[in-house]
Amino acid sequence: MAFLSACKGETSTETQTVTKTVGAGSTVTVTQTAGAGSTVTVTQPGTTVTGTGGGTAPAGLLHLIVNNIDYWGVVEPQWTLAYVLREKLGLTGTKRGCDAGDCGYCTVIMDGVPIESCIYLAIEADGKKIETVEGFNQSDKLTPLQQAFIDNDGLQCGFCTPGMLMTAKALLAFKPKATEAEIREHMAGVLCRCGSYMTIIKSIQSMTA
Ligand code: FES
Ligand code: FES
C-alpha cells in the first residue's frame, strides 16, 4: 500500500482503499482520504472504527508528519522508521549503515530529539513530528549549517552527512552556544568512515561563534 500525503492545510481528494488479511479469515478494510483533517474509516467484520486524520492511527494506520507533510499508511509492526522513510516515502536522504544503532547515519529529529531511525519502530512514531535531511530543502538556498559544512570541508564522501547535519541541527536548536567539548560529546554517536571529524567539529563550531 502506498502512503498518501498532503501538506498542512491543503485539501486533497486523493483516496485509496486497501484490504488486509489479519489472520483467521478476518480482514480489515481501510479507506482513507489524504489531507489534514480528513476522515479515516477502518472497517473490520462486525466493527467500525472511525478516526480523524491527525489523531491516533486506528488499526495499524500510521500517521507521520515528516518535514511538515502529513503521511498515512498501513505498516507492518516490524518495519523500522528508517525503512518506512526510505522505502515507502522515498526519503532516501536518511542513510542506513549498520542497521543496529551504532553508526548514526540514519539519525532523524523526532519532536526535537535526534533518534536513530534504524532501531525505532515506525508504529511508535505515530503522530510524531519528524525532520529528515530533506527538510533542509525549503528554498533554493543552502541553510547556514549546510553552508558551514561546505565552507569548512565538513565532508568527504558525504555518506555520514545527513546524520551529522540532523544531529548538529538538534544540538544547535537546544544549545546555540555549545562549547567544543559539548559538540564533541553530542556528535559522538555519528561515525564518519572518511575520518572527517576535525572539519565536522569545525563546521559546527563556526555556527556557535
Ligand atoms: S544505520 Fe542506524 S545507527 Fe547505523
Ligand atoms: S564524509 Fe564519508 S563517511 Fe563521513
Side-chain angles (χ1 to χ4, degrees), residues 32-199:
Q32 61 176 142
T33 304
S38 65
T39 299
V40 176
T41 304
V42 180
T43 308
Q44 285 178 289
T47 334
T48 299
V49 183
T50 301
T52 301
T56 305
L61 190 69
L62 181 72
H63 174 218
L64 294 179
I65 307 148
V66 186
N67 303 325
N68 290 322
I69 297 176
D70 286 286
Y71 295 90
W72 291 268
V74 174
V75 296
E76 300 291 335
Q78 75 277 14
W79 287 357
T80 65
L81 180 58
Y83 174 79
V84 169
L85 289 172
R86 287 180 54 85
E87 309 302 331
K88 300 298 176 185
L89 305 188
L91 299 172
T92 54
T94 299
K95 302 302 181 207
R96 293 170 72 183
C98 64
D99 253 354
D102 290 330
C103 71
Y105 294 164
C106 62
T107 302
V108 298
I109 299 175
M110 177 181 290
D111 289 344
V113 178
I115 62 147
E116 288 163 336
S117 59
C118 73
I119 52 171
Y120 201 99
L121 290 176
I123 52 174
E124 292 181 319
D126 180 47
K128 301 274 170 73
K129 286 191 175 176
I130 296 159
E131 295 172 63
T132 70
V133 74
E134 286 87 353
F136 280 86
N137 298 335
Q138 299 299 324
S139 75
D140 57 0
K141 288 197 172 65
L142 295 174
T143 65
L145 183 58
Q146 288 172 301
Q147 191 63 54
F149 270 66
I150 291 173
D151 293 345
N152 294 282
D153 295 326
L155 67 156
Q156 291 187 64
C157 78
F159 197 78
C160 71
T161 308
M164 292 290 182
L165 285 172
M166 300 318 293
T167 307
K169 183 180 179 187
L171 170 66
L172 294 170
F174 172 69
K175 203 148 200 179
K177 296 291 179 192
T179 64
E180 179 178 347
E182 288 168 334
I183 294 171
R184 285 178 179 274
E185 183 180 358
H186 184 83
M187 300 301 296
V190 190
L191 305 181
C192 176
R193 60 191 181 186
C194 299
S196 297
Y197 296 110
M198 295 300 289
T199 53

